Amino acid sequence: MYKVYYIMHSSFLVELDDRYLLFDYFDKSVMAETVQFHGCLPELDPDKYLYVFASHSHKDHWWLENLRLADSRDNIKFILSKDIRLGRNYLIRNGFDLSIKDKIQFVTSMKKYQVDDMTIETLRSTDAGVAFVISVKGMNIYHAGDLNWWNAEGRGELYGEVYGREYKRALKSILNKHFDIGFVPLDSRMGEDGYFLGLDYFIKNIDCDNIFPMHMWGDYKWIERFKSRPDIANLRERVVDIDRENMIFEIED
């Protein structure tokens, strides 16, 4: 059994028997004028290794203060998209010892990395940074970051078509891969005709046991709306129901 903690927005914590994988944790206060997020990290076992992932530098996906998690533990590594700029002077100016760089693995799109016993592959985002494909302890985990079929309402049909082609191209390399967990955007800002496109393509083309919708800006009613679509009736049970922050899901292997 493993646990998945839904913290907020696109931030999740996966707990395995010997480690944590933390994705896209950010400072909720910087989004206060847009959404009042209340998610927070649970108490972490200090003996379990902590791997901190950040898909890109947007303020709803990355927080510089995440690096301070290393102040209380040595068993930690950061896997960060290279668009997150952490230059020498910037770190010093913000009170970090430069030794923190020894704990950081920067990643770029369309590459494969070995971090301890984890294989990490990156996909090219249709927005910024990367999506993560992680193989660890016999499991495969997908976190999209901002890789999505963006189709903002009012932007026109061509806009959606361009993003659709890029999205399908980005996922091409994982079409034949099985995933235990997938974290995939379901963004209501795209409107009735666009909110479902990325998740719809993913669920119909990627073999994934447990799909966690994310990037919902606190508006969870869109999950049930998506699951009620007739054309995914035989797939809807794969989509995990989320209705609030700080939810914990226990999943059998």
Side-chain angles (χ1 to χ4, degrees), residues 142 167 171-179 200-209 211 235 238:
Y142 171 77
Y167 184 66
L171 293 186
K172 189 174 182 180
S173 65
I174 63 170
L175 289 179
N176 296 317
K177 194 177 186 75
H178 169 263
F179 289 91
D200 186 74
Y201 183 81
F202 186 90
I203 198 172
K204 291 175 179 175
N205 292 277
I206 306 293
D207 179 19
C208 185
D209 295 336
I211 301 173
L235 300 169
R238 296 184 184 182

Side-chain angles (χ1 to χ4, degrees), residues 5-229:
Y5 299 76
Y6 169 60
I7 300 173
M8 56 187 170
H9 199 47
S10 299
S11 182
F12 290 84
L13 180 76
V14 178
E15 181 180 4
L16 306 182
D17 59 354
D18 63 345
R19 74 193 72 195
Y20 299 102
L21 284 69
L22 175 62
F23 294 96
D24 284 12
Y25 189 62
F26 64 97
D27 177 10
K28 52 185 172 284
S29 69
V30 302
M31 304 300 296
E33 292 185 4
T34 304
V35 181
Q36 290 287 336
F37 288 118
H38 302 285
C40 56
L41 281 178
E43 184 175 348
L44 302 179
D45 183 341
D47 294 327
K48 287 191 175 185
Y49 216 102
L50 175 60
Y51 295 92
V52 181
F53 293 80
S55 63
H56 60 290
S57 63
H58 290 173
K59 62 184 179 181
D60 61 324
H61 292 263
W62 163 247
W63 187 21
L64 179 63
E65 291 299 301
N66 286 339
L67 296 180
R68 299 200 192 280
L69 291 167
D71 293 346
S72 58
R73 59 167 67 228
D74 292 324
N75 53 348
I76 186 170
K77 287 183 181 175
F78 300 87
I79 300 92
L80 310 179
S81 174
K82 200 169 184 178
D83 69 306
I84 296 171
R85 306 295 185 186
L86 297 175
R88 181 179 185 277
N89 291 339
Y90 180 68
L91 288 171
I92 292 173
R93 192 163 62 248
N94 283 279
F96 292 97
D97 190 287
L98 292 180
S99 62
I100 191 65
K101 285 203 160 189
D102 296 335
K103 298 181 180 295
I104 299 173
Q105 171 70 65
F106 287 105
V107 300
T108 58
S109 63
M110 307 300 292
K111 296 288 181 65
K112 181 182 286 190
Y113 301 86
Q114 194 69 34
V115 177
D116 297 334
D117 61 346
M118 294 191 299
T119 300
I120 301 169
E121 298 179 65
T122 55
L123 307 182
R124 179 174 288 112
S125 178
T126 49
D127 189 359
V130 302
F132 291 110
V133 176
I134 302 157
S135 298
V136 53
K137 297 179 72 67
M139 293 178 59
N140 292 319
I141 301 170
Y142 171 77
H143 190 284
D146 269 359
L147 172 55
N148 190 26
W149 184 332
W150 300 111
N151 189 28
E153 199 167 34
R155 294 295 294 270
E157 187 175 340
L158 180 59
Y159 177 90
E161 287 179 359
V162 169
Y163 273 101
R165 287 195 298 270
E166 292 301 314
Y167 184 66
K168 293 175 183 178
R169 185 178 296 120
L171 293 186
K172 189 174 182 180
S173 65
I174 63 170
L175 289 179
N176 296 317
K177 194 177 186 75
H178 169 263
F179 289 91
D180 299 89
I181 313 172
F183 302 107
V184 185
L186 186 70
D187 195 323
S188 63
R189 299 175 305 167
M190 302 300 103
E192 289 284 357
D193 294 330
Y195 81 93
F196 63 90
L197 291 173
L199 183 51
D200 186 74
Y201 183 81
F202 186 90
I203 198 172
K204 291 175 179 175
N205 292 277
I206 306 293
D207 179 19
C208 185
D209 295 336
N210 302 284
I211 301 173
F212 290 81
M214 67 176 193
H215 213 267
M216 292 175 290
W217 303 96
D219 195 357
Y220 304 110
K221 68 177 180 289
W222 296 86
I223 297 177
E224 185 54 39
R225 189 169 299 184
F226 175 77
K227 292 178 70 171
S228 67
R229 294 178 62 81

